[in-house]
Amino acid sequence: MNTEDTDKEFDKKGITLNVLGKHSIAEYYDCDREIINDQDLIEKLMIEAVEISGATLVKTVFHKFSPHGVTGIVVVAESHFAIHTWPEYGYCAVDIFTCGDVIDNRLALDHIKKQLCAKSVSVLEMKRGILDTGEDIRYKPLSA
Amino acid sequence: MNTEDTDKEFDKKGITLNVLGKHSIAEYYDCDREIINDQDLIEKLMIEAVEISGATLVKTVFHKFSPHGVTGIVVVAESHFAIHTWPEYGYCAVDIFTCGDVIDNRLALDHIKKQLCAKSVSVLEMKRGILDTGEDIRYKPLSA
């Protein structure tokens, strides 16, 4: 079942409920503990994930915590990519929140899995901003 | 049922499943369309929300889109606060992802609701990073 099929479930009996965004909430377990404590590597792989998904990078903010752990956010024209790492547990929390039908969150999630060397992954996908507009909506700004 | 009660559900038969973070995923509908298109106001209310919750601000990144819409992320020592606004629909998506037992996401969510003049709100709360450590865990870095 692709995303378009899912969206059609909201479009019944003449009621047009449109969906603004899709939010992939991912848990990566048993990651490489050195990689996920390296701010430069995390920044590189997250920016690559944005590019691979087709999203448009706007701004980034990354931070290394003491004694370990990295947080990184990439603001994109279509919303955001976020990662928080806990090297002491080999765990990373990743959020990919995008709008529109063009961005492929799963390509980004797959790239991140490989780069983190994660042995176990779970992903919850949810719709954000279900609007009863009665008409087609524009998902993202005209320009960043 | 408070958070401590919920966490105890994971602690049965000698298996200690600890939870790293709590993630509040909020939808604000019918907000004041001028307020949610004002980057300065959005930045102010999000930083206030961080302070009210008890979280520790680390870095911020805010961006105004053309022709309308604001994205804002506050990196905190305990993870992040995020907002995306669609003034054309009066809608805002807010994420509050925090670690530990001290931060009160609901105080922040309530402050944001009032400041956005949102007439309708829905919140999904989920656990992030459920770890089978068998011991107590440290939720956040020692210092930012």
Side-chain angles (χ1 to χ4, degrees), chain B residues 7-23:
Chain B
D7 287 347
K8 282 176 185 166
E9 292 173 18
F10 296 105
D11 187 9
K12 292 176 179 172
K13 296 182 181 175
I15 300 167
T16 307
L17 291 177
N18 283 299
V19 176
L20 271 180
K22 56 177 184 280
H23 187 166

Side-chain angles (χ1 to χ4, degrees), chain A residues 61-75:
Chain A
V61 55
F62 284 82
H63 187 78
K64 177 82 188 289
F65 288 98
S66 175
H68 34 55
V70 176
T71 279
I73 314 275
V74 185
V75 173

Side-chain angles (χ1 to χ4, degrees), chain B residues 6-7 14 17 21 25-26 34-35 44 49-50 52 54 59 66 80 83-84 89 100 109 130-131 135 138:
Chain B
T6 309
D7 287 347
L17 291 177
I25 297 165
E34 288 194 12
I35 290 172
K44 179 174 179 288
V50 167
I52 288 168
K59 289 177 180 170
S66 174
H80 74 263
I83 186 168
H84 302 285
Y89 303 118
L109 291 166
I130 299 177
L131 303 172
E135 58 187 20
R138 189 177 63 244

Side-chain angles (χ1 to χ4, degrees), chain A residues 20-21 97 127-131, chain B residues 25-33 36 70 83-94 116 120 122:
Chain A
L20 271 180
F97 181 176
K127 305 289 185 189
R128 300 293 299 268
I130 299 177
L131 303 172
Chain B
I25 297 165
E27 315 280 85
Y28 293 90
Y29 294 102
D30 295 318
C31 303
D32 183 298
R33 295 181 181 215
I36 68 173
V70 175
I83 186 168
H84 302 285
T85 81
W86 279 264
E88 64 272 44
Y89 303 118
Y91 165 75
C92 301
V94 171
L116 299 178
S120 169
S122 73

Side-chain angles (χ1 to χ4, degrees), chain A residues 48-86:
Chain A
E48 286 169 351
V50 167
E51 290 168 353
I52 288 167
S53 75
T56 303
L57 190 150
V58 176
K59 290 177 178 171
T60 67
V61 55
F62 284 82
H63 187 78
K64 177 82 188 289
F65 288 98
S66 175
H68 34 55
V70 176
T71 279
I73 314 275
V74 185
V75 173
V76 293
E78 300 82 5
S79 293
H80 74 264
F81 288 51
I83 186 167
H84 303 283
T85 81
W86 279 265

Side-chain angles (χ1 to χ4, degrees), chain B residues 26-27 36 38 47-48 59 61 66 68 75 84 95 118 136 141:
Chain B
E27 315 280 85
I36 68 173
D38 186 322
I47 290 171
E48 287 169 351
K59 289 177 180 170
V61 56
S66 174
H68 35 54
V75 174
H84 302 285
D95 288 82
D136 284 343

